[in-house]
């Protein structure tokens, strides 16, 4: 029975609606800053996720109502700003300036024609014309030329005034459209949050239902001896670079595991901790049985480990690539390993390990890197027999100012059948945002 760990929607919800998340996980609002220490997070309940989804629905309804009202207002404003029948002062001024420009153009045309006529009359005089007739024709031409010059000047001024009035009118139209665009974007964002919240809730419910039963009706169980050890990770990641590292999954128990699944997922935000920048990251993996690099899905297992005998291990090669456009900020990485047997039994270590790291802008120097210090941080309420177990030794640890460390192992995550992945990761992301906002770090 393979049950996917849900990460993408939970983290998306965390970075886009921290207020909702923190209301879901109030116990984490006062989380202490992590200085290269591992974080263990407990999961919100289905009820709390339902409350978060309800809040997201309310926010969307409010944003949709505002967007609808804004659209009506935009249509009215654009009608008022119409140059044809608009009643807005800018529309009236633009229409008047346009008419003045048209009148000035007509006057110039008439003046130019008068000049042409005066020249023709002067040229038509014969040698028999009197001095008075010739003087009168020359005077008429001079006056016509002066009138034409004045008409040209007036037309230029009128054209300039009309262009300025039209520009002001266009600016007002653009401003009205942009004002509506803010409401439209808010509604779209609220809808995205609502969809993410609904999806996280639906998957958490489904996984909770599936978690209670194996193929023979047995529940998955904690397995502290299924461990994960990470090597080769620096404490800072730079945009535009790739980092190769590895994850060793070891079956330290005395049981045979028919199928072992590894889980690695990396997510990040900008320095504010509010904008998800995960789209700039690409995580790939390969194993001995699947040597070709494959893209890791953000909410699924890595299935290239296979079976593990008691005491055996398998290595997963990992490659994390950051696009050059990746903004500077903060990141989190999740590591886990679970097992599923043909007889329906399943399990894994009962903790979710979360690690933080710095993201530097393209061209930055990585700076000095160090291996993380081993650290163990049990979850609150750990009994050793529930999904709130303790960590194994030598974890990869990370800090507020960044470290996705070089060595260590994770106790892995609770089997998704126990933990209900979305809820666990939702709470973890909430802590991450809370700490970033509380410490005010810009690392």
């Amino acid at each position: 029975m393979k049950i996917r760990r849900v990460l993408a929607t939970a983290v998306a919800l965390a970075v886009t609606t921290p207020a909702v998340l923190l209301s879901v996980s109030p116990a984490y609002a006062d989380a202490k800053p992590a200085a290269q220490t591992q974080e263990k997070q407990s999961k919100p309940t289905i009820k709390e996720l339902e409350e978060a989804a309800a809040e997201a629905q309310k926010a969307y309804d409010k944003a949709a109502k505002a967007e609808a009202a804004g659209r009506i207002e935009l249509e009215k404003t654009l009608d008022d700003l119409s140059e044809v029948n608009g009643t807005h002062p800018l529309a009236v001024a633009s229409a008047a300036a346009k008419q003045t420009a048209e009148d000035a153009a007509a006057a110039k045309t008439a003046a130019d024609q008068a000049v042409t006529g005066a020249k023709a009359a002067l040229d038509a005089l014969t040698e028999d014309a009197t001095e008075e007739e010739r003087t009168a024709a020359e005077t008429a031409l001079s006056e016509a030329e002066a009138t034409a010059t004045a008409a040209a000047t007036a037309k230029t001024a009128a054209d300039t005034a009309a262009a300025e009035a039209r520009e002001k009118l266009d600016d007002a139209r653009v401003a009205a459209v942009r004002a509506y665009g803010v409401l439209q974007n808010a509604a779209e964002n609220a809808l995205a949050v609502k969809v993410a919240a609904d999806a996280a809730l639906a998957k958490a419910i489904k996984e909770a239902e599936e978690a209670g039963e194996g193929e023979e009706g047995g529940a998955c169980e904690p397995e502290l001896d299924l461990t994960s050890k990470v090597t080769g990770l620096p404490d800072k990641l730079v945009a535009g670079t790739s980092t190769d590292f590895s994850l060793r999954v070891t079956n330290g128990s005395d049981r045979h595991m028919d199928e072992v699944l590894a889980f690695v997922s990396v997510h990040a935000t900008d320095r504010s901790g509010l904008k998800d920048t995960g789209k700039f990251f690409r995580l790939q993996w390969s194993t001995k049985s699947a040597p070709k690099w494959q893209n890791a899905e953000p909410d699924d297992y890595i299935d290239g480990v296979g079976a593990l005998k008691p005491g055996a291990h398998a290595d997963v090669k990992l490659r994390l690539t950051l696009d050059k456009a990746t903004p500077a900020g903060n990141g989190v990485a999740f590591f886990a390993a679970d097992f599923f047997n043909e007889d329906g039994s399943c399990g894994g270590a009962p903790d979710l390990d979360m690690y933080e790291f710095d993201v530097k802008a393209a061209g930055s120097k990585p700076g000095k890197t160090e291996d993380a210090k081993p650290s163990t941080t049990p979850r609150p309420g750990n009994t050793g027999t529930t999904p709130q177990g303790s960590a194994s030794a030598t974890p990869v640890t990370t800090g507020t100012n960044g470290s996705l460390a070089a060595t260590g192992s994770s106790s892995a995550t609770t089997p998704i059948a126990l933990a209900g992945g979305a809820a666990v990761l939702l709470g973890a992301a909430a802590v991450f945002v809370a700490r970033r906002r509380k410490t005010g770090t810009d690392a």
Side-chain angles (χ1 to χ4, degrees):
M1 177 177 64
K2 297 181 181 179
I3 308 173
R4 302 202 314 169
R5 293 182 181 273
V6 181
L7 178 63
T9 54
V11 173
L13 184 59
V15 298
T16 54
T17 57
V20 173
L21 286 173
L22 296 179
S23 69
V24 171
S25 302
Y28 298 132
D30 194 31
K32 62 182 180 180
Q36 292 196 341
T37 58
Q38 181 183 7
E39 300 295 337
K40 304 291 182 184
Q41 314 303 341
S42 60
K43 63 177 181 178
T45 65
I46 295 296
K47 180 180 179 181
E48 289 170 331
L49 288 174
E50 288 174 341
E51 291 173 352
E55 289 298 320
Q57 178 69 57
K58 290 179 181 179
Y60 169 66
D61 291 342
K62 182 177 180 180
K65 183 177 180 180
E67 186 272 338
R71 183 169 61 252
I72 295 174
E73 184 64 25
L74 173 64
E75 293 173 353
K76 180 179 181 299
T77 299
L78 293 180
D79 286 342
D80 290 343
L81 291 172
S82 171
E83 201 172 43
V84 178
N85 298 314
T87 58
H88 192 281
L90 290 177
V92 174
S94 180
K98 180 180 178 181
Q99 185 61 53
T100 299
E102 292 174 352
D103 293 343
K108 181 179 182 302
T109 298
D112 290 341
Q113 292 174 347
V115 170
T116 300
K119 286 183 177 179
L122 179 61
D123 292 340
L125 293 177
T126 64
E127 294 181 356
D128 296 335
T130 64
E131 187 65 24
E132 290 79 3
E133 290 174 338
R134 185 171 297 278
T135 298
E138 290 174 348
T139 299
L141 175 59
S142 178
E143 291 176 349
E145 289 176 339
T147 300
T149 298
T153 300
K155 180 181 181 303
T156 298
D159 288 344
T160 299
E164 291 176 350
R166 185 167 55 251
E167 183 177 2
K168 291 179 180 179
L169 184 62
D170 290 342
D171 288 345
R173 290 170 177 164
V174 170
V177 172
R178 286 178 177 172
Y180 169 69
V182 172
L183 298 175
Q184 191 175 41
N185 289 337
E188 291 174 354
N189 291 338
L191 177 59
V193 169
K194 174 188 174 302
V195 170
D198 290 343
L201 174 60
K203 288 186 177 181
I205 293 174
K206 179 180 178 182
E207 289 167 359
E209 292 172 349
E210 293 176 333
E213 301 182 11
E215 291 179 2
E216 298 179 356
C220 291
E221 59 188 88
E223 180 51 79
L224 295 174
D225 291 324
L226 179 60
T227 60
S228 303
K229 181 178 180 180
V230 178
T231 58
L233 287 170
D235 62 357
K236 296 179 181 63
L237 302 178
V238 179
T241 65
S242 294
T243 299
D244 287 353
F245 58 104
S246 63
L247 175 69
R248 171 164 291 186
V249 180
T250 302
N251 177 9
S253 73
D254 58 1
R255 72 170 77 186
H256 184 278
M257 297 180 179
D258 295 333
E259 185 174 18
V260 175
L261 303 174
F263 178 83
V264 181
S265 191
V266 179
H267 288 256
T269 68
D270 62 2
R271 287 177 174 172
S272 72
L274 302 178
K275 182 179 180 182
D276 182 10
T277 58
K279 67 180 181 180
F280 298 104
F281 287 67
R282 184 173 67 151
L283 181 65
Q284 298 174 288
W285 64 271
S286 69
T287 62
K288 183 177 180 180
S289 62
K292 185 177 179 180
W293 286 107
Q294 301 184 49
N295 291 330
E297 296 298 330
D299 60 350
D300 207 351
Y301 284 112
I302 293 174
D303 59 6
V305 177
L308 284 180
K309 298 178 181 179
H313 67 262
D315 293 325
V316 180
K317 295 181 180 179
L318 297 162
R319 174 173 293 168
L320 184 59
T321 302
L322 280 64
D323 189 272
K324 288 184 178 180
T326 307
N330 312 292
V332 288
F334 299 92
F335 296 86
D338 295 339
F339 74 89
F340 299 89
N341 289 335
E342 294 180 359
D343 63 3
S345 61
C346 56
D351 285 322
L352 170 66
D353 294 344
M354 183 181 82
Y355 311 89
E356 303 173 25
F357 57 89
D358 277 350
V359 178
K360 302 296 183 182
S364 300
K365 294 182 179 180
K368 183 179 180 182
T369 59
E370 298 179 358
D371 292 349
K373 304 297 182 182
S375 174
T376 300
T377 307
R379 278 192 194 162
N382 173 27
T383 66
T385 59
T386 70
Q388 296 183 5
S390 62
S392 64
T394 324
V396 180
T397 60
T398 62
T400 302
N401 48 0
S403 73
L404 185 53
T407 62
S409 72
S410 127
S411 65
T413 308
T414 301
I416 196 58
L418 286 172
V424 175
L425 295 172
L426 185 63
V431 175
F432 172 60
V433 174
R435 178 167 55 256
R436 283 290 181 257
R437 299 183 71 180
K438 183 175 180 64
T439 61
T441 180
D442 62 353

